[in-house]
């Protein structure tokens, strides 16, 4: 059982926002027993559990320039088209593999007191895979972060995997299964956390659709949780909860579970997902810190 859980959504270069939230959590001495993350959330989860404090995580994001994440060769794409050499991802993520290997201590991660769960999708089986501390290496982190089409999929135990965000961009399930009593969810999309205005252009519609798709798994789980809480409250009021408890499905979440959400209050733009610049990192670090300070009510 974990008392406190931190849930980190996927969202590419927006991950600097999570580092800002973590700075605030550290200042109020809120320490997670479990961190569950997808894609860039998986990178941050592994970094924290491997020993990164808030300052080191912030430095990590200030130094993770685009050249540390991916490379693009126009001439290689031309050659692949001419030679008809088959599919290849748009971007080469060899720089990211090197950066993670140099910056995250996998041994410390495996021995950490903080439980970590990251997720990826087994492509050939269309199945969500969860990896825990002792299973996680660079391959698993790269798999969780492998955005389809843009980034190449990664082989884990001989089978191809890609970004877990396709099925579970906000992986709250591991925290619920472990009975976490206080859960902080960090979203990297504003919808769901803040009311949005109606889009007025095709571009606005497309952007809103993308943001809503990133929140799909989280919204589904929250709807299920609210439904289950209502059911158990009704049974409790009728005085038959104890009698029926062994006959109904196990509870996903108990009545005293507290779930708090932090999310940006404005649209960050689609381009922000691949904008690994120091300027954006500095902006998102401050934004995450200020939003956490305002939105978290323990």
């Amino acid at each position: 059982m974990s008392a406190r859980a931190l849930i980190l959504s996927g969202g590419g270069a927006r991950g600097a926002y999570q580092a800002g939230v973590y700075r605030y959590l550290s200042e109020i001495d809120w320490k997670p027993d479990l961190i569950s993350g997808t894609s860039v959330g998986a990178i941050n989860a592994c970094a924290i559990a491997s020993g990164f404090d808030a300052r080191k995580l912030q430095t990590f994001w200030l130094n993770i320039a685009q050249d540390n994440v991916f490379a693009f060769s126009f001439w290689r794409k031309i050659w692949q088209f001419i030679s008809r050499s088959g599919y290849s991802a748009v971007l080469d993520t060899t720089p990211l593999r090197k950066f993670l290997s140099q910056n995250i201590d996998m041994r410390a991660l495996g021995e950490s007191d903080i439980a970590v769960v990251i997720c990826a999708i087994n492509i050939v089986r269309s199945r969500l895979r969860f990896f825990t501390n002792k299973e996680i290496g660079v391959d698993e982190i790269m798999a969780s972060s492998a955005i389809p089409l843009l980034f190449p999929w990664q082989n884990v135990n001989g089978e191809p995997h890609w970004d877990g965000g396709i099925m579970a961009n906000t992986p709250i399930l591991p925290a619920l299964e472990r009975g976490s009593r206080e859960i902080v969810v960090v979203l990297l999309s504003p919808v769901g956390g803040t009311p949005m205005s109606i889009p007025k252009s095709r571009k606005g519609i497309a952007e809103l659709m993308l943001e809503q798709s990133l929140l799909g798994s989280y919204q589904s789980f929250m709807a299920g949780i609210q439904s289950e809480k209502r059911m158990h409250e009704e049974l409790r009021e009728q005085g038959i909860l104890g009698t029926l408890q062994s006959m109904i499905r196990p509870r996903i979440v108990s009545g005293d579970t507290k779930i708090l959400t932090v999310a940006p209050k404005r649209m960050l733009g689609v381009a922000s997902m691949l904008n690994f610049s120091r300027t954006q990192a500095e902006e998102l670090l401050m934004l995450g810190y200020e939003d956490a300070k305002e939105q978290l009510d323990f």
Side-chain angles (χ1 to χ4, degrees):
M1 178 179 292
S2 88
R4 290 174 168 175
L6 179 61
I7 314 301
L8 303 176
S9 295
R14 297 177 185 178
Y17 181 90
Q18 296 171 343
V21 174
Y22 189 64
R23 174 190 160 199
Y24 175 73
L25 293 175
S26 297
E27 286 184 1
I28 63 172
D29 201 31
W30 192 93
K31 299 177 181 178
D33 305 294
L34 166 72
I35 309 178
S36 178
T38 294
S39 198
V40 75
I43 293 175
N44 281 331
C46 293
I48 293 169
S50 71
F52 282 38
D53 59 14
R55 182 181 295 275
K56 188 173 181 180
L57 187 62
Q58 176 175 293
T59 301
F60 176 85
W61 272 99
L62 292 174
N63 291 334
I64 191 169
Q66 178 176 308
D67 291 345
N68 297 133
V69 181
F70 58 79
F72 175 80
S73 173
F74 175 78
W75 294 112
R76 187 177 70 170
K77 291 300 173 186
I78 293 296
W79 172 248
Q80 287 173 343
F81 176 78
I82 294 173
S83 63
R84 300 183 182 277
S85 56
Y87 164 77
S88 68
V90 174
L91 302 172
D92 176 10
T93 53
T94 300
L96 178 59
R97 176 178 290 276
K98 181 179 179 180
F99 190 78
L100 294 176
S101 299
Q102 292 175 339
N103 286 275
I104 296 181
D105 186 337
M106 296 301 165
R107 175 178 291 185
L109 172 61
E111 298 173 352
S112 178
D113 292 333
I114 301 175
V116 173
V117 180
I118 67 175
C119 66
I121 297 172
N122 184 311
I123 298 173
V124 295
R125 302 179 188 275
S126 296
R127 182 177 301 167
L128 195 62
R129 286 282 311 278
F130 291 98
F131 301 100
T132 59
N133 296 57
K134 296 187 184 303
E135 302 171 289
I136 297 172
V138 175
D139 286 345
E140 286 73 18
I141 301 175
M142 291 290 293
S144 182
S145 309
I147 304 171
L149 296 179
L150 291 179
F151 293 175
W153 57 64
Q154 304 291 317
N155 285 324
V156 177
N157 298 325
E159 293 192 320
H161 290 67
W162 62 24
D163 201 314
I166 302 301
M167 290 185 179
N169 197 53
T170 306
I172 194 172
L173 180 60
L176 300 177
E177 289 181 333
R178 288 162 175 76
S180 299
R181 290 293 175 262
E182 194 168 69
I183 302 173
V184 173
V185 179
V186 186
L187 304 177
L188 296 179
S189 295
V191 288
T194 302
M196 291 287 100
S197 59
I198 297 174
K200 296 180 172 61
S201 65
R202 292 186 179 89
K203 178 182 177 183
I205 291 172
E207 182 176 3
L208 188 57
M209 286 175 59
L210 172 64
E211 304 292 2
Q212 289 178 342
S213 69
L214 293 175
L215 287 167
S217 62
Y218 175 68
Q219 294 287 14
S220 295
F221 268 111
M222 292 305 292
I225 288 169
Q226 293 305 318
S227 175
E228 187 159 297
K229 280 187 173 181
R230 287 194 297 270
M231 179 186 71
H232 282 267
E233 186 59 34
E234 291 173 1
L235 292 175
R236 185 177 292 106
E237 289 177 356
Q238 295 172 22
I240 58 176
L241 178 61
T243 304
L244 296 180
Q245 196 140 27
S246 62
M247 301 170 59
I248 59 179
R249 62 192 175 104
R251 284 185 289 178
I252 296 175
V253 61
S254 66
D256 59 349
T257 300
K258 191 173 186 178
I259 301 176
L260 303 171
T261 304
V262 183
K265 293 183 290 185
R266 60 177 174 80
M267 298 293 262
L268 300 178
V270 175
S272 67
M273 299 181 72
L274 292 178
N275 181 9
F276 290 92
S277 69
R278 187 182 183 94
T279 299
Q280 175 172 285
E282 289 175 342
E283 179 184 352
L284 292 180
L285 283 164
M286 183 56 66
L287 190 64
Y289 176 82
E290 294 296 339
D291 284 349
K293 194 172 183 179
E294 177 184 336
Q295 297 173 26
L296 292 178
D297 181 21
F298 291 102

